[in-house]
Amino acid sequence: MRRKVIAGNWKMNNDLSESQNLISHLVSSLSKEKVNCDVIVCPPFTSLSEANSLLKNSVIKLGAQNMYFEESGAFTGEISASMLKSTGCEYVILGHSERRTIFGETDQVINKKIKKALQSGLLPIFCVGETLQERESGVTNDIIKRQVVEGLKDISSDDMKKIIVAYEPVWAIGTGKTATPQQAEDVHAFIRGLVKSLYSNEIAENLIIQYGGSVKPDNANVLLSQADIDGALVGGACLKADSFMGIIKAA
Ligand code: PGA
């Protein structure tokens, strides 16, 4: 039985005081609930350190939204894995579709980032997903396969056990359009099968595969009931403590 993992991707939202507010709300709401899933929040870099202090006595874990694959040096504007570790991060989102499309990240760059994260002791949340045009042309599985195979290139079985995969159809992110539970389940099962062929049945069966794309309290339950959906990567709905809590309760 895989444990559900709910992660909130704040994206470029919340300054320091807004972050303090949201984290404090979440911590106090969660302390009143019996939580049966893992909960991760991924605030912007500027709030990580403060978030870590506020999360000290909470079950909520801390993640970042991106990092660079070099150790240190002349990479203006970038953040390294060890810097993230030093703020208390355990997780890092890599390969998000906004990184791929707006910032031009390729499968090769994402692969380097995943390796560096693992080397540094961070647990990657590795995102994959097709665009609307790709889905409509019937190449969804080809795109997912390329992203998974290239993204995981030369990653050992031991390291693979530390990775969470997030399936996020690009057309469902921030659009209010959710993949139907069946559409999502089909791709999740495809990803699990792929990981089985690349690694082993055991690794595939233990792999957490989150769904992301307009997950809300009112659709979380049906999505999370699918056999191969093990959690959610939540954008818009994680910015309010109440709606994020609604998704956590569904899990
Ligand atoms: P959304 O974003 O929930 O706002 O669709 C999900 C994501 O991009 O991770």
Side-chain angles (χ1 to χ4, degrees):
M1 197 46 188
R2 292 179 294 267
R3 194 172 158 82
K4 299 264 192 280
V5 181
I6 306 297
N9 171 12
W10 293 14
K11 309 195 179 184
M12 196 172 74
N13 293 294
N14 293 333
D15 64 16
L16 193 55
S17 70
E18 291 162 337
S19 300
Q20 288 165 330
N21 240 321
L22 179 51
I23 299 267
S24 306
H25 262 96
L26 284 172
V27 168
S28 86
S29 309
L30 265 176
S31 67
K32 295 172 201 135
E33 301 289 332
K34 197 178 164 299
V35 184
N36 267 324
C37 61
D38 287 347
V39 180
I40 306 166
V41 289
C42 304
F45 294 134
T46 45
S47 297
L48 287 174
S49 186
E50 178 64 14
N52 187 47
S53 309
L54 294 170
L55 292 175
K56 273 275 138 46
N57 295 312
S58 158
V59 294
I60 304 173
K61 294 170 179 164
L62 188 63
Q65 301 170 22
N66 182 33
M67 52 161 259
Y68 194 52
F69 55 76
E70 294 287 355
E71 183 58 41
S72 63
F75 305 102
T76 302
E78 293 296 323
I79 302 272
S80 74
S82 47
M83 290 171 187
L84 294 181
K85 282 287 284 183
S86 75
T87 67
C89 278
E90 288 179 64
Y91 294 85
V92 60
I93 299 172
L94 295 172
H96 190 280
S97 70
E98 285 148 21
R99 300 299 318 171
R100 292 177 188 262
T101 57
I102 306 172
F103 301 99
E105 288 190 13
T106 60
D107 293 319
Q108 288 67 38
V109 164
I110 295 159
N111 176 249
K112 285 187 185 174
K113 290 187 175 190
I114 294 176
K115 286 179 184 157
K116 187 65 191 180
L118 289 162
Q119 245 177 40
S120 312
L122 287 168
L123 306 172
I125 300 176
F126 165 43
C127 305
V128 298
E130 82 289 0
T131 63
L132 183 59
Q133 199 205 342
E134 288 161 348
R135 174 160 284 266
E136 286 174 346
S137 343
V139 295
T140 297
N141 287 359
D142 301 329
I143 298 295
I144 300 294
K145 182 171 181 187
R146 191 206 74 220
Q147 291 175 341
V148 169
V149 170
E150 298 296 321
L152 298 178
K153 196 157 188 249
D154 300 327
I155 285 172
S156 70
S157 295
D158 275 350
D159 275 343
M160 188 59 209
K161 294 177 189 159
K162 300 172 190 153
I163 297 178
I164 292 175
V165 174
Y167 168 58
E168 299 204 307
V170 180
W171 48 274
I173 296 178
T175 57
K177 278 188 207 165
T178 322
T180 65
Q182 193 57 52
Q183 279 174 323
E185 169 60 21
D186 288 348
V187 179
H188 281 236
F190 177 72
I191 294 171
R192 201 175 303 285
L194 205 52
V195 169
K196 179 177 169 180
S197 70
L198 292 170
Y199 291 91
S200 69
N201 188 47
E202 192 201 341
I203 289 178
E205 284 306 317
N206 288 316
L207 175 69
I208 301 294
I209 309 179
Q210 296 177 315
Y211 169 79
S214 300
V215 177
K216 310 235 157 26
D218 59 7
N219 62 22
N221 192 34
V222 59
L223 285 161
L224 293 168
S225 308
Q226 303 302 307
D228 288 289
I229 302 187
D230 312 310
L233 182 53
V234 185
C238 79
L239 296 173
K240 294 264 182 295
D242 286 354
S243 54
F244 195 48
M245 280 304 300
I247 295 167
I248 293 166
K249 283 185 200 162

